[in-house]
Amino acid sequence: MESEIYLKNFLQVRLVSDFEKAKTYYRDVLGFNVDGWGHTERGNNLGFILQQAIKPEDVRPNPKPDKPTGDEQTIGWDSYFYSNFDGVGQLYNEFKSKGAIIAYEPRISPMGNSQWKHFAVKDLDGYVMVFGGSN
């Protein structure tokens, strides 16, 4: 019998145009723990590995998809973080108070017998992070 494979966490690699500015933004504005190597984490081992791009054109956030997940998706999404309804509101208030680049304000949509709230922020290179959760 084979043993189950254990995966510890997930860190997406992001090319950035200015490594030091990106580390500062992720730490001071978005509240991630950031080390000198560019590993950023927040919460339950969710985060990124920031790497300096060789050329600015190598930094490529996702474009808007051909078939968005909903009418509200007017921009490309690079990462989606799940929380709960109240957590989404708390994150929005935290990010807004620290000067985060807001891609879109909180939106509430019906989802079965509950509601789904989500909003998005951008980093300095235009990567879009969406935060959503239900009540």
Side-chain angles (χ1 to χ4, degrees):
M1 182 164 110
E2 291 185 40
S3 63
E4 186 175 331
I5 296 172
Y6 173 70
L7 298 173
K8 183 178 176 182
N9 61 0
F10 171 84
L11 298 174
Q12 180 186 44
V13 176
R14 290 222 163 133
L15 292 179
V16 295
S17 60
D18 187 314
F19 185 66
E20 293 303 322
K21 286 182 181 178
K23 287 192 315 182
T24 299
Y25 184 81
Y26 276 80
R27 183 189 64 232
D28 296 347
V29 178
L30 300 180
F32 283 80
N33 293 318
V34 181
D35 69 15
W37 296 95
H39 295 90
T40 69
E41 292 185 352
R42 180 165 180 165
N44 296 323
N45 297 319
L46 301 171
F48 309 95
I49 298 173
L50 305 174
Q51 293 183 338
Q52 177 65 52
I54 294 172
K55 303 176 289 198
E57 57 269 22
D58 290 339
V59 177
R60 291 181 275 169
N62 287 331
K64 179 181 174 184
D66 181 39
K67 295 182 181 179
T69 58
D71 292 336
E72 72 283 345
Q73 190 173 355
T74 58
I75 57 175
W77 295 352
D78 296 289
S79 303
Y80 201 104
F81 295 86
Y82 290 92
S83 184
N84 56 30
F85 197 83
D86 292 336
V88 171
Q90 292 170 352
L91 283 167
Y92 172 78
N93 291 335
E94 175 189 327
F95 294 158
K96 183 95 171 167
S97 73
K98 292 181 177 180
I101 303 163
I102 305 296
Y104 65 82
E105 303 287 328
R107 299 175 179 168
I108 299 175
S109 321
M111 187 181 86
N113 293 330
S114 62
Q115 294 181 313
W116 188 263
K117 182 191 297 186
H118 60 99
F119 74 95
V121 297
K122 288 184 178 184
D123 75 359
L124 300 176
D125 288 298
Y127 289 105
V128 174
M129 292 163 271
V130 181
F131 297 84
S134 65
N135 58 358

